[in-house]
Amino acid sequence: LAEKKVLIVYAHQSAGSFSAAAKEAAVEVLKSKDCSVEVSDLYAMKFKATATAEDITGEVKNPEHFRYAEETKLAWDEGRLSADITEEQRKLQEADLVIYQFPLYWFTVPAILKGWFDRVLTLGFAYTKEKRYSNGIFKKTKALLSFTTGSQETMFSPTGINGDMNVTLWPLQNGILHYCGFQVLAPQIFWAPADAAPEGRSAMLAAWNTRLQGLLDEKPLFFTPMDYFDCESFQLKPENVEKCVKEFGPTAGTHCGKPLPPNNQMKAGV
């Protein structure tokens, strides 16, 4: 069997953090499973978060009205993207599994990781109008969000003050990862480790260690396939509405006005 390649995109400033411990656990366990593991430590790399014309070497096509997606598509076609972007794209292309390790900031990823998504997942390289969602470019690659929260789990529930975590995850897991075709594995959520006792944090890491043993064989989350939608309006075809919609809608985002399927963005097979 060919060696599996894992990329960990890591976004935390401190080597003493729980995020760092979770990242180190992943490196250790996956290497012990004969995977090759590469880490992009975004803060240590001083990774540039802003998507600008500096991401392109040479002239831009339309300096009066700079359009990032179109200009970077052209630069990608011509091999003129900046070196920091092409290096991350190389890592991504080689990976069988990508783990994003970060603390949840304002219900989303830290700016430096958002910048990685903005700059690395360029038009042409990571998606096209034809190749996206279940027809996406990265459909053979698995991806996983592994993150810490500042809030307790009860606060991120359907009756909690922060709202349902499945709703928070939809833009990240559907709008970024699945959009590029990735098979999205259930997230690894470390609930409020800063508030936990040392034994609580140890238990969280032990559970992550156990999960890592079989991570590469896990089934991905469910997203409604592209061919269920009309290719002009991108609405669910009438016959598929009947097929998909029972007591709940099919997914947390495309729910057809029905109750959200419980844990559609947090557990495979629901």
Side-chain angles (χ1 to χ4, degrees), residues 140-238:
K140 293 194 172 146
T141 310
K142 292 184 171 178
L144 159 79
L145 301 179
S146 173
F147 61 94
T148 60
T149 68
S151 298
Q152 300 294 338
E153 184 173 4
T154 51
M155 294 168 73
F156 270 112
S157 68
T159 52
I161 193 166
N162 291 350
D164 189 340
M165 178 56 90
N166 292 281
V167 174
T168 295
L169 288 166
W170 180 258
L172 297 171
Q173 294 187 156
N174 181 71
I176 300 175
L177 301 180
H178 177 54
Y179 190 87
C180 296
F182 288 100
Q183 298 175 44
V184 186
L185 301 184
Q188 182 68 26
I189 307 175
F190 301 105
W191 301 102
D195 295 342
E199 54 272 22
R201 288 197 289 276
S202 296
M204 288 182 204
L205 285 173
W208 178 222
N209 266 285
T210 302
R211 185 181 176 194
L212 284 160
Q213 304 288 337
L215 195 60
L216 284 152
D217 300 318
E218 283 187 11
K219 295 268 186 293
L221 300 172
F222 172 77
F223 295 90
T224 312
M226 270 287 268
D227 59 11
Y228 274 45
F229 296 89
D230 177 277
C231 61
E232 286 174 14
S233 68
F234 294 100
Q235 290 284 304
L236 271 176
K237 295 172 188 169

Side-chain angles (χ1 to χ4, degrees), residues 89-106:
Q89 290 182 338
R90 173 198 66 76
K91 295 174 190 174
L92 204 50
Q93 270 178 320
E94 291 178 1
D96 298 292
L97 167 69
V98 189
I99 298 173
Y100 296 95
Q101 183 67 57
F102 60 94
L104 198 69
Y105 279 9
W106 294 112

Side-chain angles (χ1 to χ4, degrees), residues 83-142:
D84 62 338
I85 293 175
T86 54
E87 176 60 4
E88 295 307 296
Q89 290 182 338
R90 173 198 66 76
K91 295 174 190 174
L92 204 50
Q93 270 178 320
E94 291 178 1
D96 298 292
L97 167 69
V98 189
I99 298 173
Y100 296 95
Q101 183 67 57
F102 60 94
L104 198 69
Y105 279 9
W106 294 112
F107 289 61
T108 187
V109 297
I112 201 165
L113 178 52
K114 179 57 166 63
W116 189 96
F117 288 132
D118 289 352
R119 298 179 64 230
V120 176
L121 302 179
T122 58
L123 175 61
F125 167 75
Y127 69 96
T128 66
K129 202 174 262 189
E130 297 70 39
K131 294 183 178 176
R132 52 184 169 162
Y133 291 120
S134 55
N135 300 332
I137 289 167
F138 285 95
K139 61 186 179 185
K140 293 194 172 146
T141 310
K142 292 184 171 178

